Amino acid sequence: MNRKFLILTVASLLMMPMISSASSMSQVQQTKEAENAKGTEFFKGSFKEALAEAKKENKKLMVDCYTLWCGPCRFMSKNVFPDEKLGKFMNEHFVCMQLDMEHGEGPERNKTFQVEAYPTFIFFDADGKEMSRFEGMAMQDDFLKRCERILKGEAPISKEDIQKEKQEEKQQRVAEKDTIIDEGKGVNFIKGSEVRFADVLAQAKRENKRVLVDFWATWCHACMKMNKTTFRDTRVGNMMNYSFVNYAVDVDHDADGKELVEKFNIKAFPTYLILNPDGTEYNRIVGSNPVEGFAKALTNALLGKEDQYTMMERKQKEAEAKAKAERQANLTASPKATPKTKVKFMAGMDVEKGIKAAKAKKKNLMVFFTDGDYKSEYVEKYSFNDAGIADYLNKNFLCMFVDVKSKQGDAVVTKYEIAESFPGFLLFNSKGENKGYAGGTLRTADMMKENFDMYLNYVPNK
């Protein structure tokens, strides 16, 4: 946090003797206010020492139970606890401490704390008796309200409360039981098993309508539910039959299914693609919905508004492109040194050489990609020094280390088309076949084995 120190103000006053006394006092006051503007202060010391400090100051104790790999924990530290309003409240009523539940005294404390989700915030009175707790990330105002409730002796918003609220919201949405099924005529779909796509476009041109293509599959539960509910509704049927030539395509079995999926880059099911009569895309809706929700989504699509799923996908791609550009703008000439861990890493970044070596030893190859961020650092410092993980990797894999912030590492990222998601693990089986890229912070041998086995044993449908 940037602070203005009183000494700077005093020095400036000495250099400008003509400033009035009132003006001088105003500057000093502003400086003091700036000094006092601070977020939540965290006690540096053990739990026992923090408890003693709370008793001494006649305050309660709040323990922020976190882990180094926890993104929401990090968000709270960087974006919530620095808030001035929250800080003023917390500093007045609590001694606050942050406790790493996987290192230091954390594991021993957790034998009694029994924390299962991160972050978890536990509140104690001055005698060390637990008053209350709550889990999960919360923004400043929400966090403050929860703490106020605890100070008053009221129960915080529990997981059960949150689940109850969600259930009530769900029931309210499902209260759409006024669906008018089969009263008149639901959606009239032309079947892809009976009519080819070219003929559907020809009909759309004759009728001067757009085409709505329903991409579905027999294994898609959401698709089948839409067919049994929303598409049997008279109101939805009237709306769609008036506006479109409706075409249902079984992506696995219909003649034009696979070609249309590839042509229009369909990645999720169900997807409802809206085409102009000339066959060009106008808009799309991704995912199932009950009657009211689908009618709204359809109306928005006709007005040219972007579907939520499509928007999220676009924003994710834009974020990845931005992250990639920023990373590539600051590449180092030399990669950082491969860390010395219990996991044994081959020297260098020549993946082709690693594949050959792994095949010769009849082992799989694991290529670890790091960007040096806190998640990558966690894997390097802790996961690769875990005895179980080291035993699993050293027995079954040859391992390589790639620094993606170096020119050499970026070349590997480009060659193997690695997603801008780090840390990650590029896996090759003992035959040298590329089995995919597993992203994420894998913290235990069981997590790693389960994740890697999924990739190594995956056989694509042909």
Side-chain angles (χ1 to χ4, degrees), residues 306-364:
E306 189 175 35
D307 172 70
Q308 289 294 310
Y309 179 92
T310 306
M311 180 179 68
M312 288 171 59
E313 188 178 54
R314 173 180 58 78
K315 286 187 174 181
Q316 183 178 350
K317 287 180 180 178
E318 289 173 355
E320 289 177 358
K322 182 180 178 182
K324 183 176 183 178
E326 290 175 351
R327 177 178 60 79
Q328 291 182 326
N330 298 287
L331 295 175
T332 59
S334 301
K336 71 176 183 179
T338 301
K340 294 180 179 179
T341 66
K342 290 182 180 178
V343 174
K344 300 173 184 177
F345 287 97
M346 291 177 59
M349 298 188 198
D350 188 339
V351 176
E352 293 301 317
K353 182 178 178 181
I355 293 172
K356 290 179 182 178
K359 287 173 68 175
K361 294 187 177 184
K362 296 183 179 180
K363 285 189 172 186
N364 303 308

Side-chain angles (χ1 to χ4, degrees), residues 13-210:
L13 289 173
L14 290 172
M15 293 174 67
M16 294 186 291
M18 297 303 293
I19 297 178
S20 70
S21 174
S23 177
S24 300
M25 290 301 293
S26 175
Q27 289 188 32
V28 172
Q29 183 64 32
Q30 289 174 6
T31 302
K32 285 183 177 179
E33 289 175 357
E35 280 189 313
N36 293 330
K38 53 190 174 185
T40 303
E41 295 180 330
F42 287 96
F43 180 83
K44 304 298 181 184
S46 67
F47 174 75
K48 186 177 181 180
E49 291 168 340
L51 199 57
E53 186 68 17
K55 193 163 190 175
K56 176 183 172 183
E57 297 184 19
N58 193 27
K59 295 180 179 180
K60 312 301 182 187
L61 173 63
M62 186 279 283
V63 182
D64 171 9
C65 301
Y66 75 98
T67 65
L68 296 174
W69 47 264
C70 167
C73 304
R74 191 175 178 85
F75 180 89
M76 293 292 294
S77 291
K78 292 184 69 176
N79 301 288
V80 177
F81 290 130
D83 179 75
E84 181 181 348
K85 180 182 175 183
L86 177 62
K88 183 179 179 181
F89 176 83
M90 297 303 291
N91 298 336
E92 180 181 349
H93 298 285
F94 299 95
V95 169
C96 303
M97 74 169 292
Q98 292 177 309
L99 186 60
D100 182 347
M101 302 308 291
E102 294 185 337
H103 307 99
E105 68 170 319
E108 186 63 29
R109 287 290 171 194
N110 208 25
K111 290 178 181 178
T112 54
F113 287 4
Q114 296 293 303
V115 174
E116 298 178 349
Y118 302 102
T120 289
F121 305 97
I122 310 179
F123 297 79
F124 300 87
D125 63 21
D127 294 320
K129 181 181 178 181
E130 182 175 330
M131 299 169 60
S132 194
R133 67 170 66 193
F134 60 85
E135 301 172 352
M137 186 177 75
M139 298 307 291
Q140 292 89 325
D141 290 344
D142 187 29
F143 191 91
L144 193 150
K145 287 177 184 176
R146 294 185 183 192
C147 293
E148 285 177 333
R149 290 180 62 164
I150 291 169
L151 276 179
K152 293 176 184 177
E154 300 175 2
I157 301 172
S158 65
K159 287 193 297 184
E160 289 72 22
D161 292 331
I162 295 172
Q163 289 173 351
K164 185 179 178 180
E165 286 180 10
K166 289 183 177 178
Q167 186 64 28
E168 288 175 354
E169 288 176 6
K170 183 178 180 181
Q171 287 175 351
Q172 194 170 356
R173 289 196 302 270
V174 174
E176 195 179 52
K177 293 183 178 178
D178 62 332
T179 301
I180 309 173
I181 294 178
D182 295 339
E183 181 188 75
K185 184 178 181 183
V187 181
N188 180 24
F189 280 107
I190 298 172
K191 296 180 180 179
S193 58
E194 300 173 355
V195 181
R196 299 299 296 266
F197 178 61
D199 295 326
V200 172
L201 283 182
Q203 179 178 335
K205 287 179 181 178
R206 288 196 304 271
E207 297 180 11
N208 194 28
K209 289 183 178 180
R210 290 193 173 100

